[in-house]
Amino acid sequence: HLKTSSAFILHKKIYPRRSSIVNEAIRKSDERALLKARLLETIVQNRRGNVRISDVLTAAEALEAQSSQGEVTGRWSLIFSTLLSGRADADDNIFQAASNRIYETLFRVAPVFAGGSESGFKARNEQLIQDGLVDNLVNINDALSIRVSGSAKEQDVASFDITFDKCQVALFDFPSITIPLPRPRGKIITTYVDDNLRLSRGSRGGLFILKRIKS
């Protein structure tokens, strides 16, 4: 006779290990810090292709629901952006309408040029808002540099009217080329800001998430 035996194996479900930033937020029992940590972690997972953009939007909206106090002015580094919907005003002139169309096209075809972070390029995207001026700098693969600058008129503590008037383009070590702009305008409304993180929404439908660059 064959001796038979049966064995029961219990399979333990393995969950992904939480990142250190999430664990630290839980330890502090701080709801705002936890929501902020979840947003940053979701952005990381989105870059790795593990979660969808809609998951980032959900995490962003949860943080935006929290009250916040912080300075919008300063130097910032873009860590995530996406275009939610294009918007246009009935009184837009032909130059503004053309600018809106170019912006939307760039955001969809080559996000990094329009301040996006959904491309495979190695890019650095920085923004400076200070003393009524705005300066956006995009550096791609240390080969192409695009700087767009203009004025930032503060409407209240959370919103700025932006008008760009100049664009400078430089390739490798060649002298930069300055291109005058037909003063395209837009608006940025900051929905959350603290000492090191800022969420802003643009009048053309963009969502921008930025980290403060410490001086």
Side-chain angles (χ1 to χ4, degrees), residues 111-122:
V112 70
F113 290 111
S117 57
E118 298 157 18
S119 70
F121 292 105
K122 178 184 177 183

Side-chain angles (χ1 to χ4, degrees), residues 44-55:
V44 171
Q45 295 303 321
N46 174 256
R47 289 175 178 171
R48 295 173 179 172
N50 296 331
V51 300
R52 297 171 296 181
I53 291 177
S54 59
D55 296 313

Side-chain angles (χ1 to χ4, degrees), residues 36-85:
K36 182 175 171 180
R38 283 177 177 169
L39 173 59
L40 295 175
E41 180 70 12
T42 306
I43 291 173
V44 171
Q45 295 303 321
N46 174 256
R47 289 175 178 171
R48 295 173 179 172
N50 296 331
V51 300
R52 297 171 296 181
I53 291 177
S54 59
D55 296 313
V56 179
L57 298 180
T58 298
E61 290 168 358
L63 185 59
E64 287 174 320
Q66 299 289 310
S67 61
S68 64
Q69 290 183 339
E71 286 290 335
V72 176
T73 57
R75 186 173 294 277
W76 299 87
S77 176
L78 185 75
I79 60 173
F80 176 86
S81 66
T82 190
L83 185 65
L84 303 177
S85 63

Side-chain angles (χ1 to χ4, degrees), residues 98-192:
S99 173
N100 292 345
R101 180 61 63 183
I102 292 172
Y103 183 88
E104 182 176 350
T105 301
L106 286 175
F107 224 123
R108 296 190 185 283
V109 177
V112 70
F113 290 111
S117 57
E118 298 157 18
S119 70
F121 292 105
K122 178 184 177 183
R124 186 177 77 255
N125 193 322
E126 298 179 2
Q127 181 185 78
L128 173 67
I129 300 178
Q130 198 79 45
D131 300 327
L133 300 175
V134 59
D135 188 48
N136 286 337
L137 173 64
V138 178
N139 183 286
I140 304 171
N141 292 338
D142 293 326
L144 176 64
S145 175
I146 302 174
R147 182 185 298 272
V148 182
S149 55
S151 63
K153 184 178 180 181
E154 186 175 359
Q155 296 300 309
D156 53 49
V157 293
S159 64
F160 286 83
D161 285 337
I162 305 295
T163 303
F164 292 111
D165 54 28
K166 183 173 62 176
C167 175
Q168 290 179 306
V169 180
L171 184 63
F172 296 105
D173 294 328
F174 293 102
S176 62
I177 299 174
T178 300
I179 304 171
L181 299 177
R183 300 184 64 81
R185 67 182 188 276
K187 188 171 186 176
I188 293 179
I189 300 176
T190 296
T191 52
Y192 177 89

